[in-house]
Structures are given as C-alpha cells and as structure tokens.
Amino acid sequence: MGQPVTVVERATSRPGVIRYEINRSITGTGHERFAAGQDIFGERPVDELARRLFERGGIDAIHVNSNIVTVDLAKGGTRDGIDELIANLFIYYGPGVEVPTIPEGA
C-alpha cells in the first residue's frame, strides 16, 4: 500500500554531491538541512526520509527544498540504493508484510 515516489537523479558540479528531483514536495516551500549525527525528532515525511538515508550510511548531509533532495556523500560513500529509499518513502506495506484487516461488524 502507498504510492511510490518518482525519482530522477541529476548530476551536480560538485564531486560527492547528488541531486534527486522527485514528483512531490515534501517540505512545502521551506528548506530543511540535516547533518550526520544530528538527532531527528520530527514525524514529517522529510524527517523520515532523512532518518532512512542516514541509517543507510555513507552520507554526511542532506538538504531538501520542496521536491529537490540533495545528498552530500561521506568520503567513500556511494549512491547505491539512495534512489530506492526515496522512491519507497510512502510505501507502507512491502512484500511479506501482512496488511491489517477490519473484522466484519466492527
């Protein structure tokens, strides 16, 4: 359940920095910046995305402005799997996860 996010990876002029354009705004019109090691307490989609990306590892910083996600890779970090993490941000039930049902008469 949920809807995948369309992700287009774009090159930047700075080595180790990758930009992703997505088909929805996850910050409204504001900017959000996150650094590795920073506590992320919020429950907004942008907060969840930052947590997932940092849990993946190999990332020093993330900047999100509306529908643009900019990732600053750590030294030796790769882009492998970043686009998939972004694409699956709004997928709630993946393969093997039982979808809850509402009992009859409830």
Side-chain angles (χ1 to χ4, degrees):
M1 237 170 131
Q3 184 178 34
V5 175
T6 302
V7 182
V8 177
E9 184 177 314
R10 302 283 187 198
T12 68
S13 60
R14 293 179 26 206
V17 177
I18 309 158
R19 188 178 82 187
Y20 298 91
E21 295 178 8
I22 61 177
N23 67 332
R24 61 187 71 187
S25 172
I26 58 173
T27 64
T29 59
H31 292 259
E32 295 290 337
R33 291 177 177 85
F34 302 94
Q38 168 188 350
D39 289 328
I40 304 169
F41 297 107
E43 296 300 323
R44 302 166 302 157
V46 68
D47 302 317
E48 181 61 26
L49 177 61
R51 278 192 290 272
R52 291 180 188 185
L53 289 172
F54 285 125
E55 285 173 7
R56 172 199 168 275
I59 296 174
D60 281 338
I62 300 164
H63 175 259
V64 183
N65 179 22
S66 185
N67 68 321
I68 305 295
V69 180
T70 305
V71 176
D72 188 354
L73 296 174
K75 186 173 182 169
T78 68
R79 62 181 50 148
D80 298 340
I82 293 175
D83 54 350
E84 187 175 335
L85 280 172
I86 298 170
N88 292 325
L89 179 62
F90 295 108
I91 302 297
Y92 301 106
Y93 302 112
V97 175
E98 187 175 323
V99 178
T101 59
I102 299 173
E104 285 188 40

